[in-house]
Amino acid sequence: DVKVTQSSRYLVKRTGEKVFLECVQDMDHENMFWYRQDPGLGLRLIYFSYDVKMKEKGDIPEGYSVSREKKERFSLILESASTNQTSMYLCASTGLRGASATQYFGPGTRLLVL
Amino acid sequence: AQSVTQLGSHVSVSEGALVLLRCNYSSSVPPYLFWYVQYPNQGLQLLLKYTSAATLVKGINGFEAEFKKSETSFHLTKPSAHMSDADEYFCAVTGGADGLTFGKGTHLIIQP
């Protein structure tokens, strides 16, 4: 079974702090994604990566950056956290590139920014 | 560009009744369509997906969905609802290689 893990289930941070959300997958997948989930808005794509050192902006990249130094790990960075970044963050991965590929999701990190 | 509309943020059915969750999509290219379920405080699990092989797609837990190009729809159904089906369901579309576009989600409520 594919396993996608996220470093924290819950995080509480203060406005202005630098925040790191970590995601690790154990299936040697090339492609990894970060989404945020908000009530009534569904999931929205923040960033994705097709390979180590590569990154692409999704639909809502503002206020975020990412890092992919190793194939299995994809980090989401909030350079200066703000209250409007309070949300559930979900990481996903897939081994195939293409529109029909199934994405496998981690359990999510619920972030509260005070 | 693509988009997904899920009709009804909450759908309530009686236990044993038909479940119908509606999803309409818009895509400028032939779409691939997905239904995911989210269990409480967990990530998303794939229920089923349409990849153009067959218009009627069967998934896990007794769910199925039918792709109707003329109606741009991909509604999710289950003949008989169980209490354990009470979760949040997301329809998603992709027309390219760059991530999924999700609907806003539908909470399924099962009345005993």
Side-chain angles (χ1 to χ4, degrees):
Chain A
D1 277 354
V2 177
K3 189 161 187 181
V4 180
T5 57
Q6 295 183 230
S7 52
S8 304
R9 294 301 303 273
Y10 301 94
L11 272 180
V12 180
K13 297 292 181 181
R14 298 215 173 267
T15 302
E17 279 192 79
K18 190 169 186 176
V19 181
F20 292 86
L21 303 182
E22 305 286 341
C23 175
V24 177
Q25 49 89 8
D26 67 355
M27 286 301 292
D28 203 34
H29 283 175
E30 282 77 22
N31 313 301
M32 298 186 75
F33 305 82
W34 275 107
Y35 296 88
R36 65 175 282 176
Q37 181 181 7
D38 299 288
L41 295 179
L43 281 78
R44 292 175 290 168
L45 182 64
I46 305 172
Y47 266 98
F48 57 99
S49 169
Y50 289 131
D51 203 349
V52 175
K53 305 282 188 185
M54 295 184 66
K55 60 184 179 182
E56 299 284 347
K57 292 180 179 179
D59 299 320
I60 52 164
E62 295 78 19
Y64 303 94
S65 62
V66 291
S67 173
R68 186 126 182 243
E69 296 296 319
K70 293 185 178 182
K71 189 175 185 180
E72 68 271 18
R73 186 180 298 270
F74 192 35
S75 301
L76 180 69
I77 304 160
L78 288 64
E79 295 289 344
S80 177
S82 64
T83 55
N84 63 12
Q85 294 179 307
T86 290
S87 187
M88 170 77 113
Y89 290 89
L90 291 160
C91 175
S93 73
T94 176
L96 300 172
R97 186 171 179 179
S100 66
T102 297
Q103 292 191 16
Y104 297 90
F105 284 82
T109 296
R110 195 172 292 278
L111 173 66
L112 173 63
V113 182
L114 300 174
Chain B
Q2 51 265 353
S3 66
V4 172
T5 301
Q6 290 184 239
L7 296 177
S9 59
H10 293 79
V11 170
S12 180
V13 302
S14 298
E15 190 174 17
L18 171 72
V19 174
L20 171 61
L21 303 184
R22 299 179 187 273
C23 172
N24 289 88
Y25 70 91
S26 171
S27 178
S28 57
V29 298
Y32 295 99
L33 293 153
F34 303 76
W35 275 101
Y36 281 86
V37 60
Q38 185 172 33
Y39 303 117
N41 296 316
Q42 295 187 36
L44 277 65
Q45 180 177 356
L46 181 71
L47 277 177
L48 48 82
K49 67 178 181 181
Y50 166 74
T51 59
S52 76
T55 56
L56 182 62
V57 182
K58 294 187 183 298
I60 62 171
N61 301 338
F63 285 93
E64 63 182 38
E66 186 173 8
F67 173 70
K68 292 187 177 180
K69 184 178 179 180
S70 61
E71 299 177 8
T72 61
S73 69
F74 190 56
H75 301 331
L76 182 71
T77 61
K78 183 174 180 177
S80 177
H82 296 154
M83 296 299 292
S84 60
D85 294 327
D87 291 302
E88 188 163 22
Y89 294 80
F90 292 92
C91 183
V93 65
T94 179
D98 306 334
L100 292 164
T101 298
F102 284 86
K104 295 182 179 181
T106 297
H107 283 278
L108 178 60
I109 301 162
I110 311 296
Q111 305 278 6

